[in-house]
Amino acid sequence: MNTLPMKKLSSLVATGAVIALAGAGTATADVKPVSAGQQVVPPAAQQAAPPRGKAAATASPLYRTGRLASSNCSPGNLPKGSTTAYKRFLSTVTNCLNRSWASQFRKAGLSFSKPRLRIITKKVRTPCGPWSAGADGIYCSTDRTMYMLITKTQLRQPFALGITRLMAHEYGHHVQNMSGIWNYYWAARNSSGRSGQLALSRRSELQAECFSSVFMRTVEGTLPVDSGEWDYTVNWFRKNGAKGWPQNDHGRGPSQAYWMNRGYGSASPGSCNTWAASSRTVA
């Protein structure tokens, strides 16, 4: 097994996922927007009425679509010290995610539109609120945008597998948003007490991590994903993944590793139904 310095992973742990339906403020930092693209809508004859209420999360049509479509993603090298190369890498990976998930939504008979990507070099206030401390990436549902922060540490020590996993996690929240899973999440959250809200947050975050791992499996041969690095990453999250979230809204380390292994092992969104899983697997 290859070993990686912990500092390569530590900056990618506290990724942050801002999940607000409403917010104020605009991004004010140096950004590079990427076109959101056109909405992808399957033919009306193929569209089924999506589930509502709790079933939107527990019985999403995405769970019946089989393996995630391959995007033949080859973002190229990620050299040290090049902001331009880093931006190109992030944009290419986002396009790969767009292709894979747009295809999956078509198979599910659900409408889909791409998220926007804003690449920033300093923390900004998003429409969902202030930047989360320690976060390297945020998805804001208010403007359906992934905000990806390029830090000096990342430029000095670029880690292609780690940054791709992070992007795929934030994209997983967009999948939840577009599929209606978050409609249930927020309705349930608004009617829950503190412990219930944390439990719901864990199901959301662990599903996004599972969706991320599903994508990582599809790019294992083209990114490429080194098996030793992947095993090391999962084990790192098992031991350290909860340290950035003391309130336990992202799941304990063993729970994070469990859903990473499920997603990577199956390559199918159907393995990521955290909403119907037992509470012990989302602790």
Side-chain angles (χ1 to χ4, degrees):
M1 175 184 296
N2 293 344
T3 58
L4 300 172
M6 182 174 289
K7 57 188 176 182
K8 271 194 174 183
L9 288 172
S10 61
S11 66
L12 298 174
V13 175
T15 60
V18 173
I19 44 180
L21 295 181
T26 58
T28 58
D30 177 27
V31 298
K32 180 182 179 181
V34 173
S35 174
Q38 299 297 314
Q39 189 177 38
V40 178
V41 182
Q46 297 179 13
Q47 284 186 299
R52 295 187 176 185
K54 187 175 183 177
T58 61
S60 172
L62 286 173
Y63 302 153
R64 302 190 296 272
T65 55
R67 289 175 64 93
L68 183 67
S70 173
S71 60
N72 296 316
C73 190
S74 299
N77 295 328
L78 191 55
K80 294 181 180 180
S82 174
T83 301
T84 299
Y86 214 107
K87 289 181 177 181
R88 182 170 58 248
F89 186 92
L90 295 178
S91 297
T92 301
V93 170
T94 299
N95 289 335
C96 295
L97 285 157
N98 286 336
R99 291 195 297 272
S100 289
W101 283 108
S103 176
Q104 215 69 14
F105 270 70
R106 284 194 295 270
K107 288 193 286 184
L110 296 174
S111 61
F112 178 77
S113 61
K114 304 172 186 177
R116 297 176 67 208
L117 171 65
R118 288 190 181 273
I119 301 172
I120 57 178
T121 55
K122 63 180 179 180
K123 297 176 181 178
V124 301
R125 181 180 180 89
T126 77
C128 290
W131 192 267
S132 298
D136 286 326
I138 286 175
Y139 173 74
C140 178
S141 61
T142 300
D143 58 357
R144 296 181 180 177
T145 298
M146 296 193 304
Y147 294 83
M148 302 304 301
L149 176 65
I150 301 178
T151 67
K152 293 180 180 179
T153 299
Q154 291 169 0
L155 287 176
R156 287 194 300 266
Q157 295 182 312
F159 181 33
L161 184 152
I163 194 61
T164 303
R165 182 213 65 82
L166 167 59
M167 293 197 74
H169 175 103
E170 301 307 336
Y171 203 103
H173 288 306
H174 181 68
V175 170
Q176 292 172 323
N177 193 23
M178 293 305 302
S179 64
I181 291 173
W182 264 5
N183 289 341
Y184 163 71
Y185 169 54
W186 279 101
R189 182 184 175 90
N190 289 336
S191 61
S192 297
R194 177 61 174 169
S195 63
Q197 290 178 351
L198 289 174
L200 288 164
S201 178
R202 290 195 296 272
R203 291 185 187 273
S204 175
E205 293 295 338
L206 291 169
Q207 182 174 58
E209 196 61 52
C210 185
F211 283 159
S212 172
S213 299
V214 166
F215 177 76
M216 294 302 294
R217 179 64 182 274
T218 71
V219 299
E220 63 176 345
T222 56
L223 182 63
V225 177
D226 178 87
S227 61
E229 288 186 346
W230 177 254
D231 290 343
Y232 184 92
T233 300
V234 174
N235 192 49
W236 192 94
F237 273 87
R238 179 182 290 108
K239 295 178 179 179
N240 304 284
K243 291 181 179 179
W245 314 104
Q247 68 273 35
N248 194 23
D249 58 350
H250 280 60
R252 302 191 188 281
S255 297
Q256 293 181 33
Y258 172 81
W259 289 101
M260 291 173 79
N261 283 328
R262 276 186 65 90
Y264 195 83
S266 70
S268 169
S271 67
C272 299
N273 188 356
T274 58
W275 306 97
S278 65
S279 57
R280 65 181 177 82
T281 65
V282 291

